[in-house]
């Protein structure tokens, strides 16, 4: 394990001034500035976002990435109206980050990695006594991707990244959130604050890192159908099995009236053929013609099955996501930090079932009570994991875990 020159610092506050001051006091005790600071801030504080980023640049230094949130996650629980941040301090030889911002996600991704400027000599040295397969499994490149805007085009944007990266970069992230669904969302970086764009952090890390993505649903195998007609967008399902989508969905549930809680409890799933993974697709609202607007693309020909959950399945999803991230990180002996991207609809269910305390306890029991972790309630999660390509997810929890151990260990 590495002790000298490696620190993970978390900060939370209710105001920009308090946040900057608390972080500054912690950083001043360290021998160097952070390589990367990740910050999630309540949409209630939108008018102060520029001051937040300027304060970080002037008082903390290093690279910055962040987003507006629909709720903040920290050891204090699930909150609103706050700011949470994680600063990573490490020698550049083992951890380095570069951020970029653009309206086009592919441009931001390319800029971030072009600015990274790393040498692979050290990586080669670390694997001089290992085999090639071990080196492939531990490629030292990762990215954080935070999307803003409410255009419903996340799939198209992520396809651009898959194209320029050939799907070789382990990626986690989310769509920025807000406490009201109609409010504008924002992303942050060293370049400032934007309403409609993307912030990307390109990361080179010889520390063990891993990503886990899970949902808390099971299939109702007796309730299934096929999308037979879309509307003007692939997110609008007009017909399932040739019938109005709303009629089929209501019949599956045995109800005549739909609301947001029913949508959160009963999304639908499509099975990805090559891996067998269930892709959760969450309904957003019913349109006047009986179509259903979803929060992800559901094109014609997609097979759908009704999903359901329980409090235990819901809580276990977080535990399984952390376990998967830990395994993919190479099972480090000590965990340094955890980032949690949690769908806002999962937060709705956590509040309904009163499982928030249990979920925080799961993180602390797995990683240790002193571990640094932050997260936020998102408008969609981004990530790739195991057999899962880079997707825009609904109602999942995506975890990025960073160990205090080098990948050669």
């Amino acid at each position: 394990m590495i002790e000298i020159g490696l620190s993970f610092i978390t900060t939370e506050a209710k105001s920009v001034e308090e946040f900057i001051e608390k972080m500054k006091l912690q950083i001043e005790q360290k021998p160097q500035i952070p390589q990367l600071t990740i910050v999630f801030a309540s949409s209630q504080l939108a008018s102060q976002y520029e001051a937040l980023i300027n304060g970080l640049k002037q008082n903390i230094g290093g690279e910055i990435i962040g987003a507006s949130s629909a709720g903040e996650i920290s050891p204090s629980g699930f909150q609103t109206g706050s700011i949470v941040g994680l600063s990573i301090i490490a020698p550049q030889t083992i951890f380095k980050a570069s951020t970029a911002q653009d309206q086009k996600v592919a441009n931001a991704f390319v800029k971030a990695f072009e600015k990274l400027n790393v040498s692979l000599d050290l990586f080669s040295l670390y694997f001089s006594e290992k085999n090639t397969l071990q080196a492939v499994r531990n490629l030292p490149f990762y990215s954080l991707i935070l999307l803003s805007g409410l255009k419903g085009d996340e799939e198209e944007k992520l396809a651009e990244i898959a194209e320029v990266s050939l799907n070789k970069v382990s990626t986690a992230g989310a769509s920025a959130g807000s406490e009201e669904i109609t409010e504008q969302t924002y992303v942050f970086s060293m370049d400032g604050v934007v309403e409609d764009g993307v912030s990307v952090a390109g990361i080179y890390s010889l520390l063990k890192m891993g990503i886990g993505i899970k949902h808390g649903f099971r299939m109702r195998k007796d309730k299934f159908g096929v999308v037979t007609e879309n509307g003007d967008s692939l997110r609008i399902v007009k017909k399932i099995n040739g019938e109005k989508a709303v009629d089929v969905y209501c019949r599956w549930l045995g109800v005549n009236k739909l609301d947001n809680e029913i949508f959160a409890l009963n999304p639908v799933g499509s099975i990805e053929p090559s891996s067998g993974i269930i892709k959760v697709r969450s309904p957003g609202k019913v349109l006047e013609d009986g179509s259903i607007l979803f929060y992800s693309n559901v094109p014609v020909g997609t097979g759908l099955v009704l999903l359901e959950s329980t409090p235990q399945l819901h809580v276990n999803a977080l535990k399984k996501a952390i376990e998967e991230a830990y395994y993919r990180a190479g099972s480090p002996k000590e965990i340094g930090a955890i980032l949690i991207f949690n769908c806002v609809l999962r937060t709705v269910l956590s509040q309904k079932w009163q499982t928030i305390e249990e979920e925080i306890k799961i993180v602390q029991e797995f990683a240790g009570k002193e571990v640094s972790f932050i997260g936020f309630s998102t408008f969609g999660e981004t990530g790739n994991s195991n057999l899962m390509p880079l997707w825009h997810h609904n109602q999942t929890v995506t975890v990025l875990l960073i160990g205090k151990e080098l990948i050669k260990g």
Side-chain angles (χ1 to χ4, degrees):
M1 290 181 290
I2 305 167
E3 296 296 340
I4 299 175
L6 179 63
S7 299
F8 299 92
I9 297 170
T10 50
T11 307
E12 57 183 285
K14 286 292 186 179
S15 72
V16 169
E17 294 79 7
E18 181 190 7
F19 181 81
I20 297 296
E21 187 60 29
K22 288 172 74 171
M23 182 169 281
K24 184 180 176 181
L25 288 172
Q26 295 182 83
I27 300 297
E28 285 176 343
Q29 300 174 37
K30 304 300 178 181
Q32 58 184 315
I33 66 172
Q35 293 290 338
L36 178 65
T37 293
I38 304 152
V39 58
F40 307 129
S42 167
S43 61
Q44 294 179 29
L45 302 170
S47 63
Q48 301 176 54
Y49 286 164
E50 292 285 355
L52 172 63
I53 300 308
N54 289 335
L56 288 171
K57 288 197 289 187
Q58 293 168 12
N59 296 283
I60 307 303
E63 296 286 333
I64 302 164
I65 189 170
S68 60
S69 61
E72 303 75 56
I73 300 171
S74 73
S76 298
F78 290 20
Q79 309 170 75
T80 58
S82 66
I83 309 169
V84 296
L86 168 68
S87 290
I88 302 169
I89 298 175
Q92 289 194 25
T93 53
I94 64 169
F95 186 94
K96 191 173 183 181
S98 173
T99 60
Q101 196 175 80
D102 203 288
Q103 285 191 314
K104 286 184 63 65
V105 67
N107 290 348
F109 189 88
V110 170
K111 288 178 188 175
F113 278 93
E114 284 180 343
K115 288 165 53 183
L116 203 49
N117 293 326
V118 298
S119 168
L120 288 176
D121 290 348
L122 190 60
F123 177 69
S124 176
L125 178 64
Y126 274 37
F127 283 92
S128 61
E129 298 178 0
K130 303 286 185 178
N131 63 46
T132 303
L133 183 57
Q134 287 172 315
V136 169
R137 286 174 174 169
N138 291 276
L139 287 174
F141 295 105
Y142 304 82
S143 68
L144 284 175
I145 297 174
L146 297 173
L147 301 163
S148 70
L150 301 172
K151 294 182 178 179
D153 58 356
E154 285 94 341
E155 288 91 348
E156 291 78 3
K157 289 178 176 177
L158 295 178
E160 294 176 25
I161 291 180
E163 183 176 352
V164 299
S165 69
L166 298 179
N167 238 346
K168 301 297 185 183
V169 178
S170 296
T171 298
S175 298
S178 64
E179 291 186 26
E180 295 294 331
I181 189 68
T182 55
E183 286 180 353
Q184 181 60 57
T185 61
Y186 303 83
V187 293
F188 322 137
S189 77
M190 292 291 292
D191 298 328
V193 179
V194 295
E195 298 180 6
D196 188 11
V198 59
S199 290
V200 174
I203 296 171
Y204 167 80
S205 176
L206 293 182
L207 297 171
K208 290 183 174 181
M209 294 177 60
I211 297 166
I213 306 168
K214 294 296 179 184
H215 64 78
F217 293 95
R218 63 190 176 199
M219 294 188 291
R220 290 280 304 275
K221 294 183 179 180
D222 58 328
K223 311 291 183 183
F224 62 90
V226 176
V227 177
T228 50
E229 186 177 347
N230 286 120
D232 296 335
S233 160
L234 292 180
R235 293 194 173 192
I236 297 175
V237 175
K238 293 190 73 171
K239 292 185 178 180
I240 300 173
N241 296 340
E243 297 182 63
K244 281 186 179 181
V246 67
D247 292 342
V248 175
Y249 186 68
C250 285
R251 187 165 65 249
W252 285 349
L253 292 171
V255 300
N256 296 315
K257 188 177 180 180
L258 299 171
D259 56 35
N260 290 334
E261 185 173 294
I262 289 176
F263 288 152
L265 283 167
N266 298 106
V268 298
S270 66
I271 299 177
E272 204 281 321
S274 63
S275 64
I277 294 170
I278 298 174
K279 300 166 74 172
V280 180
R281 294 295 175 252
S282 301
K285 66 178 178 179
V286 177
L287 306 181
E288 289 184 3
D289 65 352
S291 301
I292 298 178
L293 173 66
F294 285 81
Y295 290 128
S296 288
N297 289 351
V298 193
V300 166
T302 302
L304 300 179
V305 60
L306 187 66
L307 302 177
E308 64 181 4
S309 188
T310 66
Q312 196 58 54
L313 287 171
H314 176 77
V315 168
N316 282 347
L318 174 58
K319 182 178 180 181
K320 290 179 179 179
I322 296 173
E323 290 173 344
E324 180 181 46
Y326 179 75
Y327 171 76
R328 292 191 74 207
S331 305
K333 296 179 178 66
E334 187 175 354
I335 297 169
I338 291 176
L339 287 177
I340 301 171
F341 302 98
N342 192 63
C343 179
V344 66
L345 295 177
R346 275 187 54 86
T347 301
V348 168
L349 294 183
S350 295
Q351 292 167 339
K352 172 182 171 60
W353 287 328
Q354 299 182 343
T355 59
I356 291 173
E357 186 175 332
E358 184 177 358
E359 291 173 72
I360 296 299
K361 186 178 179 182
I362 281 174
V363 180
Q364 293 177 326
E365 286 185 345
F366 189 94
K369 287 193 174 182
E370 300 304 315
V371 75
S372 301
F373 74 91
I374 62 165
F376 78 104
S377 296
T378 77
F379 280 179
E381 303 72 59
T382 295
N384 49 20
S385 175
N386 291 349
L387 297 176
M388 191 183 296
L390 186 59
W391 284 341
H392 171 63
H393 302 276
N394 295 156
Q395 286 188 254
T396 65
V397 54
T398 297
V399 170
L400 174 65
L401 182 146
I402 308 173
K404 284 188 173 182
E405 183 180 345
L406 296 174
I407 54 179
K408 74 169 186 176

